[in-house]
Amino acid sequence: MTIPASTQVPVSAVSDVRRWTKASRVAAWISIIVVAVLAFVPAFGSVGMVDRFAALFVYVILAAMWNALAGYGGLVSVGQQLFFGLGAYFTVRIAAAGVDPFVSILLAAAVVGLLSYPLSFAMLRLKGGEFAIAMWVVSELAHLLVNLDGLIQGETGTSLISLNAYPAGTRRVVIYSVALAAMVALLVGLFVLLRSRVGSAIQAIRDNEDAAETLGVNVVATKRILFMLAAFGTAIAGAVWLASATSFQPKTYFSVQWTAYMIFMVLVGGLGRFEGAILGAVIFFAIETAFGAMGVWYLIGLGLVALLFSLFLPRGLWGAVEERLGLSLMPVGYRLDLKARK
């Protein structure tokens, strides 16, 4: 049946390109409020709560940095414990020279970030499995070299003795504050980077590396930015963990288990999604708090959960939410909304 011309209404599509939505603006304000509340946890929280939250902040950093490297840069590494261990090691080494231990944390992370620059020239020549295995090999090599340092005493390890200059209560609050500040700074920095022109190049590489290079994106230079950022952030995480644990044993800090944790968090939360890394860290933290005392069975359970997610939710929890609801709380790309115009 034909509709009379007098009753027909011309319709055309109107596109609206934007980043922020009402949901994302609300999420941003909620994030600010949550951070403000977290800043006061040491004032009313128990000793155990302060320590556990500091651990959560470290997990968020680790997940966000591995997600930046693999989820956006396509650099799947099984050797990120290299930077975690070096961050702790250089903190011990710098503090032993008489530098305040908390200043040593920042200096150690800066040293690791600088060392990652020349390393990137070799590592970024590799792709896929070659890159992943090469990072693990370099991590093992660094582990052996650290053992040769007389200060470390081989696998016996040492302690961050200079922390004893601070009363236990003060030390705990400062460690918590450093962990929170580092987490917020790294997340904000990563968010700003991904929303910049460089971020557009990063996301183009994630979607299709060959196409991005064809369009003029300097793929290697862009990946180097992510490589160095991940090294710096992971080193801070290792240094903060050392400050909380006080003791440094190379086999613990250079264990591949740390990278396994990172992979688990990102896999469960959602690879290549800003919110996914944070969600995955929170889930991992909850699982560890509830089942960490189960030892080997706890690790087996983590592996089983990761396997199930790989099979049934390959895009992770946040990826599934985003796909079904179109919800993006921390948008790093652009959103195209099509509306009907009469």
Short mmCIF file of all heavy atoms in Angstrom, two decimals, residues 11-12 20 48 63 93 132 160 211 256 271 332:
data_model
loop_
_atom_site.label_atom_id
_atom_site.label_comp_id
_atom_site.label_asym_id
_atom_site.label_seq_id
_atom_site.Cartn_x
_atom_site.Cartn_y
_atom_site.Cartn_z
N VAL A 11 12.33 11.48 6.35
CA VAL A 11 13.17 11.16 7.51
C VAL A 11 14.62 11.04 7.06
O VAL A 11 14.92 10.43 6.04
CB VAL A 11 12.72 9.82 8.16
CG1 VAL A 11 13.63 9.48 9.32
CG2 VAL A 11 11.28 9.91 8.60
N SER A 12 15.51 11.63 7.78
CA SER A 12 16.94 11.52 7.49
C SER A 12 17.69 11.27 8.79
O SER A 12 17.21 11.63 9.87
CB SER A 12 17.46 12.80 6.83
OG SER A 12 17.28 13.91 7.68
N TRP A 20 31.68 12.02 25.79
CA TRP A 20 31.02 11.92 27.08
C TRP A 20 29.52 11.69 26.92
O TRP A 20 28.89 12.26 26.06
CB TRP A 20 31.25 13.19 27.90
CG TRP A 20 32.67 13.37 28.33
CD1 TRP A 20 33.61 14.16 27.76
CD2 TRP A 20 33.32 12.70 29.42
NE1 TRP A 20 34.81 14.05 28.43
CE2 TRP A 20 34.66 13.16 29.45
CE3 TRP A 20 32.91 11.77 30.38
CZ2 TRP A 20 35.58 12.73 30.40
CZ3 TRP A 20 33.82 11.33 31.32
CH2 TRP A 20 35.14 11.80 31.34
N GLY A 48 44.24 -3.75 59.23
CA GLY A 48 44.06 -4.72 58.16
C GLY A 48 43.42 -4.11 56.93
O GLY A 48 43.81 -4.42 55.79
N ALA A 63 47.08 -4.34 36.64
CA ALA A 63 46.10 -4.67 35.61
C ALA A 63 46.04 -3.58 34.54
O ALA A 63 46.01 -3.87 33.34
CB ALA A 63 44.73 -4.87 36.24
N ARG A 93 68.27 -0.68 46.42
CA ARG A 93 69.61 -0.19 46.09
C ARG A 93 69.74 1.31 46.32
O ARG A 93 70.75 1.79 46.87
CB ARG A 93 69.91 -0.56 44.64
CG ARG A 93 71.18 -0.02 44.03
CD ARG A 93 72.38 -0.16 44.90
NE ARG A 93 72.87 -1.53 45.03
CZ ARG A 93 73.87 -1.87 45.82
NH1 ARG A 93 74.46 -0.94 46.57
NH2 ARG A 93 74.28 -3.11 45.90
N ALA A 132 56.51 -12.19 23.64
CA ALA A 132 56.10 -12.72 24.95
C ALA A 132 57.21 -13.53 25.60
O ALA A 132 57.55 -13.33 26.77
CB ALA A 132 54.84 -13.58 24.79
N LEU A 160 64.18 -3.59 53.33
CA LEU A 160 64.24 -2.13 53.18
C LEU A 160 64.38 -1.54 54.59
O LEU A 160 63.43 -1.02 55.17
CB LEU A 160 62.97 -1.62 52.49
CG LEU A 160 62.98 -0.19 51.95
CD1 LEU A 160 64.11 0.02 50.96
CD2 LEU A 160 61.65 0.13 51.28
N ALA A 211 46.74 -1.54 8.91
CA ALA A 211 45.98 -0.40 8.40
C ALA A 211 46.46 0.90 9.03
O ALA A 211 46.55 1.93 8.35
CB ALA A 211 44.49 -0.60 8.67
N VAL A 256 57.05 -15.36 37.69
CA VAL A 256 56.09 -15.20 36.59
C VAL A 256 54.66 -15.14 37.12
O VAL A 256 53.73 -14.76 36.40
CB VAL A 256 56.25 -16.36 35.58
CG1 VAL A 256 55.75 -17.67 36.16
CG2 VAL A 256 55.56 -16.03 34.26
N LEU A 271 39.82 -7.31 28.12
CA LEU A 271 41.03 -6.86 27.44
C LEU A 271 40.72 -5.68 26.51
O LEU A 271 39.76 -5.70 25.76
CB LEU A 271 41.61 -8.02 26.62
CG LEU A 271 42.88 -7.74 25.83
CD1 LEU A 271 44.04 -7.48 26.78
CD2 LEU A 271 43.21 -8.93 24.92
N VAL A 332 37.30 6.44 25.98
CA VAL A 332 38.57 6.92 25.46
C VAL A 332 38.49 7.13 23.94
O VAL A 332 39.39 7.71 23.34
CB VAL A 332 39.72 5.94 25.79
CG1 VAL A 332 39.94 5.87 27.27
CG2 VAL A 332 39.43 4.55 25.23
#
